[in-house]
Amino acid sequence: MKKFVLLALSLVMLLTPVLSLAYDGELLTLTADSDNDPFTWDPSKDKIAAFIEDQFGLAFQQSETNYYNNDFTVTQLAATDGNLPEVFAADILYYTQEITQFIPEELVAEIPESLLEKYPRTKALLENDDVSQIVHNMYDGYYFLPKPDSADPSIYLAERKGLFIRKDWLEKLGLEMPQSWEELYNVCHAFTYDDPDGNGVNDTFGLTGDGMGTLRYFFSATGVSNIKWNKNEDGTWTFGAMDPRAVEVLKWMRKMYEDGSIDPDFAATTYKQGLQKFSSNQFGVCVRNADADWIKNVALEYYGAANPGVNPFDRLDLVPALGINKGDPVRMEQYTSCMVATMFSAKITEEKMDRFLAYYEYLLSPEGQLLRMGLKDVDYTQEADGSIKLIRDEQGKATSLGQEYPCLTTTHWPSWGFELAAYPHVEFYDEYNDEIKALNAKACAIRNQNPVKVYVGPMLIDETTVKDCAAFSWASEYWAIITGTEPVEDMFAALVDRANAAGFEEASKVVQEYAEKYGW
């Protein structure tokens, strides 16, 4: 069924005619708040701004406050005071009040389904997005436009996390790429004790990264999400970190800690610190986001910058998912499509919303997606075979798009653009374009085989018993088990008892009530 939905959405994207209109009506200006850096709008100097005005009769004015990059309480106050920009970026699954408060209190505008009938790509996106459908079921309408990582839903079916690994160290020690927690332990042990850099000094280690936050995605090797609520076979609900199958993963991590093959400061390390340690050739494995753009960041901006003259792809590879024990199937949890969205303030007129939707529809089209790469035949060319090539200057540099087009962030509303970063036919990166895309494709092929089911609905429960559970620090509790001395099973059982006493037992009953009400 999932493959059919993705195919249907892809066909809508491909077959719907591209809007082509030179708008000859009144120019409408919308105040807008971007989820990227604040933009400026000057069509006399910015040809993309001029194109948008000409084709859609639409101009954007940056709101005085960039709410997206501000504290949420600032956004919340603006909403209750009626001061939100007409179009604004919303972290709807990070700050769920943007759903649970803003919608029932009518602080944001509903998108009329009569308008959506005019825009088939936008309508298909909403109808095939899990989060938008859950919210539609709860509030009987559409109140946001999804901003997934990629406008092509077939690329990232599973969360885009990874373990960056030194493949040259693997080759030096005659080891295979780890595919399970058991094999990861063996590799990290060898990286720590078998002199993988060949310098004769005991100065290398196994795993580092950015603490338990990202690493907990790899606990989905158990078959359930570790960081969200899960539905049991009997219809009851359990928070993922309480699932007893996590014990097996914690045992492997305890073993890593006991023999010194995991960074002893792992729990307190930021992602930047972890990447710096990895890039200084101290550690052989580093956990981090691992979509195409993050592959580029890790390989070039961290490892490459710290190791000039080295092709980072001669040394780096990626573990995109794990099983528990050797031979087990590898699993990564399902990608949550819509952590971020575009919403409309209650003060927007239907005429302005209609004009914006026409532009949004265009941005979903194959032609519109490329607008974030600049202008055709100015910044890129499209070859006869459909491939996209960057146009470079005499020094071999492509256009610095943010400088050339200060309004460029207004082209980013439908997605984060990871589809262009991933598509093999699009030259997206100045350096190592083919290597970045090839490694990303290999990782996605592994992750996407069997994603672990994720339930979004419980994240949107506006009930104190459930919300209060978010204060429970699973990351620090897990680290206490990993670094502890009592049997892992006993410490985990005590942790579950504490969690239930802290509210999870009652919260599970509330989650079940909501699930039965809304059919989760």
Side-chain angles (χ1 to χ4, degrees):
M1 181 63 182
K2 185 77 175 178
K3 290 182 179 178
F4 174 78
V5 168
L6 294 175
L7 178 61
L9 181 56
S10 297
L11 287 174
V12 168
M13 298 290 190
L14 289 171
L15 298 179
T16 306
V18 175
L19 286 173
S20 180
L21 49 100
Y23 202 86
D24 59 2
E26 177 188 359
L27 179 70
L28 297 181
T29 300
L30 275 69
T31 58
D33 182 25
S34 167
D35 52 20
N36 289 280
D37 294 330
F39 62 88
T40 58
W41 190 268
D42 185 353
S44 67
K45 298 178 181 178
D46 185 334
K47 291 183 179 179
I48 286 184
F51 168 82
I52 295 169
E53 287 196 7
D54 178 62
Q55 295 295 308
F56 301 96
L58 192 59
F60 294 103
Q61 176 182 330
Q62 172 70 45
S63 59
E64 292 183 5
T65 302
N66 186 257
Y67 293 100
Y68 185 82
N69 291 327
N70 222 310
D71 187 274
F72 171 67
T73 55
V74 176
T75 303
Q76 195 172 38
L77 180 61
T80 55
D81 287 348
N83 292 327
L84 282 174
E86 291 163 301
V87 178
F88 67 98
D91 267 333
I92 59 172
L93 293 186
Y94 293 101
Y95 303 109
T96 55
Q97 300 97 315
E98 292 175 319
I99 299 294
T100 60
Q101 177 192 359
F102 288 13
I103 293 175
E105 293 183 14
E106 298 183 348
L107 304 178
V108 291
E110 181 179 357
I111 305 171
E113 298 202 32
S114 59
L115 278 186
L116 291 174
E117 290 298 328
K118 298 169 60 176
Y119 305 111
R121 288 192 183 89
T122 305
K123 185 171 183 284
L125 180 63
L126 286 163
E127 290 176 345
N128 290 283
D129 180 85
D130 289 343
V131 181
S132 72
Q133 287 305 301
I134 288 168
V135 173
H136 187 279
N137 188 30
M138 294 178 72
Y139 296 99
D140 196 29
Y142 292 116
Y143 292 88
F144 61 82
L145 299 170
K147 181 169 181 173
D149 286 350
S150 169
D152 181 344
S154 69
I155 297 175
Y156 297 106
L157 300 183
E159 282 289 349
R160 45 187 181 78
K161 310 299 179 185
L163 299 168
F164 288 88
I165 190 167
R166 289 292 298 272
K167 67 178 180 180
D168 57 329
W169 287 10
L170 291 173
E171 293 166 2
K172 171 82 165 41
L173 300 178
L175 298 171
E176 300 292 329
M177 285 281 288
Q179 298 181 38
S180 66
W181 279 95
E182 177 184 8
E183 292 165 306
L184 180 65
Y185 163 75
N186 290 331
V187 164
C188 288
H189 180 89
F191 282 178
T192 305
Y193 294 104
D194 295 349
D195 193 22
D197 60 358
N199 67 355
V201 180
N202 185 21
D203 60 353
T204 57
F205 304 93
L207 176 66
T208 190
D210 59 349
M212 294 300 296
T214 304
L215 192 64
R216 280 176 58 204
Y217 283 92
F218 288 85
F219 279 63
S220 56
T222 62
V224 295
S225 168
N226 187 263
I227 57 178
K228 296 183 176 70
W229 287 89
N230 295 292
K231 187 176 183 180
N232 304 315
E233 291 184 3
D234 63 0
T236 60
W237 290 75
T238 303
F239 191 71
M242 301 171 70
D243 190 288
R245 285 168 283 192
V247 168
E248 292 303 309
V249 178
L250 290 168
K251 282 183 176 179
W252 285 115
M253 293 194 68
R254 165 80 68 85
K255 198 171 181 181
M256 275 192 226
Y257 183 79
E258 287 176 341
D259 75 8
S261 59
I262 187 172
D263 187 346
D265 298 320
F266 187 85
T269 299
T270 67
Y271 83 84
K272 290 183 179 180
Q273 291 169 336
L275 288 171
Q276 288 164 355
K277 293 177 183 181
F278 181 68
S279 300
S280 67
N281 300 303
Q282 291 178 279
F283 286 83
V285 185
C286 184
V287 63
R288 186 63 259 183
N289 289 352
D291 52 77
D293 215 44
W294 263 106
I295 291 172
K296 183 265 294 182
N297 290 342
V298 173
L300 275 65
E301 297 177 18
Y302 284 91
Y303 194 85
N307 297 272
V310 172
N311 179 340
F313 293 94
D314 288 341
R315 296 184 178 181
L316 305 186
D317 209 328
L318 189 63
V319 179
L322 293 170
I324 296 179
N325 298 306
K326 185 175 181 178
D328 290 344
V330 302
R331 306 292 300 273
M332 176 53 70
E333 72 173 57
Q334 179 184 348
Y335 167 67
T336 302
S337 63
C338 191
M339 302 296 291
V340 179
T342 299
M343 303 185 88
F344 300 102
S345 70
K347 64 188 177 186
I348 194 170
T349 66
E350 187 166 319
E351 181 186 19
K352 286 188 173 183
M353 187 187 292
D354 188 14
R355 197 79 63 90
F356 181 88
L357 288 173
Y359 175 53
Y360 185 90
E361 179 83 357
Y362 169 77
L363 293 174
L364 287 173
S365 72
E367 177 186 335
Q369 287 179 42
L370 293 175
L371 191 59
R372 67 170 60 239
M373 293 189 66
L375 298 175
K376 186 178 179 181
D377 298 327
V378 176
D379 306 296
Y380 71 89
T381 60
Q382 189 161 17
E383 308 298 315
D385 63 0
S387 62
I388 306 298
K389 301 293 183 184
L390 295 173
I391 295 175
R392 301 173 184 273
D393 62 18
E394 293 178 354
Q395 286 74 43
K397 296 293 184 182
T399 305
S400 176
L401 296 174
Q403 294 179 8
E404 186 70 18
Y405 309 112
C407 80
L408 193 69
T409 191
T410 67
T411 69
H412 296 184
W413 274 305
S415 81
W416 291 99
F418 289 4
E419 64 277 7
L420 299 178
Y423 284 148
H425 69 282
V426 177
E427 185 184 16
F428 194 75
Y429 297 107
D430 265 350
E431 298 181 84
Y432 299 109
N433 181 78
D434 294 344
E435 292 89 341
I436 293 166
K437 289 171 182 282
L439 185 53
N440 183 63
K442 183 174 76 169
C444 287
I446 294 170
R447 291 192 205 105
N448 289 352
Q449 287 181 33
N450 194 19
V452 171
K453 173 69 176 176
V454 166
Y455 295 90
V456 175
M459 298 175 69
L460 296 172
I461 294 176
D462 187 28
E463 204 278 347
T464 303
T465 305
V466 176
K467 292 194 296 184
D468 284 353
C469 289
F472 197 85
S473 180
W474 287 102
S476 59
E477 293 280 359
Y478 270 18
W479 189 246
I481 293 175
I482 293 163
T483 60
T485 56
E486 298 298 316
V488 171
E489 295 93 335
D490 294 348
M491 292 188 73
F492 186 82
L495 167 59
V496 170
D497 288 343
R498 286 198 305 278
N500 279 326
F504 276 92
E505 186 172 21
E506 289 304 312
S508 66
K509 298 174 184 177
V510 175
V511 172
Q512 187 168 354
E513 292 172 3
Y514 272 76
E516 291 172 356
K517 178 179 180 180
Y518 293 111
W520 299 339

